[in-house]
Amino acid sequence: MANTAATAANNLANKTWNVTKAIGKALLGDFTGLLLIGAGALLTYGIATSKSTEAEEEHKKAIDNTKESVDTFTNTLSNSFASLMTSYSQLKAQWKALSTTHQKKQWIEENKNKLEELGIAVNGVNSVEDSFNKNTNAVVQGFMARAKAAAYLAKLTENYKKQIELIEKINT
């Protein structure tokens, strides 16, 4: 976007300079022609400088927007993953403290909603046991995938908000 603005500024400056040179050639021997060439050069420099500054500002905005987008993604990813892992670790610690099948069945009944929120299958003692002992890596990978999905959604939502703001700005 910044490159396009800079190119447009350069093209406008070149056109202004060419017009100024043409006028100057027509009046070459005339003092007025020399003054027009000088004024045209100053005008060209002013336009190019102004457009270049605008392009630099647009470039800075683009960099800031990219940084904000990356920050949103990173923060959402880490917060989502941390939340899932914290809940999982707490439930796993409680599970390990249980010793009898009866205690485990009762604990499953009491924590069924929490387990389902984490995406842990609740088909009985064995499925929960597997989630906490045999399939820990798969569970953690699942949490990471969910956290990434939440981060991408947050990033996309932020970008849509910016797009809507730009459309409203253009319309006004």
Side-chain angles (χ1 to χ4, degrees), residues 6-132:
T7 302
N10 186 42
N11 289 341
L12 180 61
N14 285 336
K15 287 177 185 175
T16 305
W17 177 245
N18 288 337
V19 168
T20 303
K21 283 192 326 188
I23 292 171
K25 282 182 182 179
L27 304 170
L28 190 56
D30 192 329
F31 181 71
T32 307
L34 294 175
L35 285 176
L36 285 174
I37 290 174
L42 288 174
L43 178 64
T44 301
Y45 176 77
I47 290 172
T49 302
S50 171
K51 293 296 180 181
S52 177
T53 302
E54 289 175 19
E56 287 175 13
E57 288 174 9
E58 289 297 319
H59 182 68
K60 286 178 185 175
K61 285 180 187 177
I63 289 172
D64 289 343
N65 287 341
T66 301
K67 185 179 178 200
E68 287 175 21
S69 185
V70 169
D71 288 347
T72 297
F73 179 85
T74 305
N75 291 338
T76 304
L77 177 68
S78 61
N79 290 340
S80 295
F81 185 72
S83 175
L84 291 167
M85 283 304 297
T86 300
S87 296
Y88 177 74
S89 297
Q90 289 171 346
L91 292 173
K92 186 175 182 177
Q94 292 172 8
W95 180 261
K96 286 189 175 197
L98 304 173
S99 56
T100 67
T101 303
H102 177 68
Q103 288 176 326
K104 290 178 180 183
K105 285 181 180 179
Q106 186 171 347
W107 183 88
I108 290 171
E109 195 59 41
E110 292 170 3
N111 293 286
K112 188 174 186 174
N113 289 339
K114 291 178 185 177
L115 292 166
E116 287 175 350
E117 286 173 9
L118 292 176
I120 296 175
V122 184
N123 299 328
V125 173
N126 289 338
S127 65
V128 176
E129 182 74 34
D130 288 346
S131 296
F132 288 134

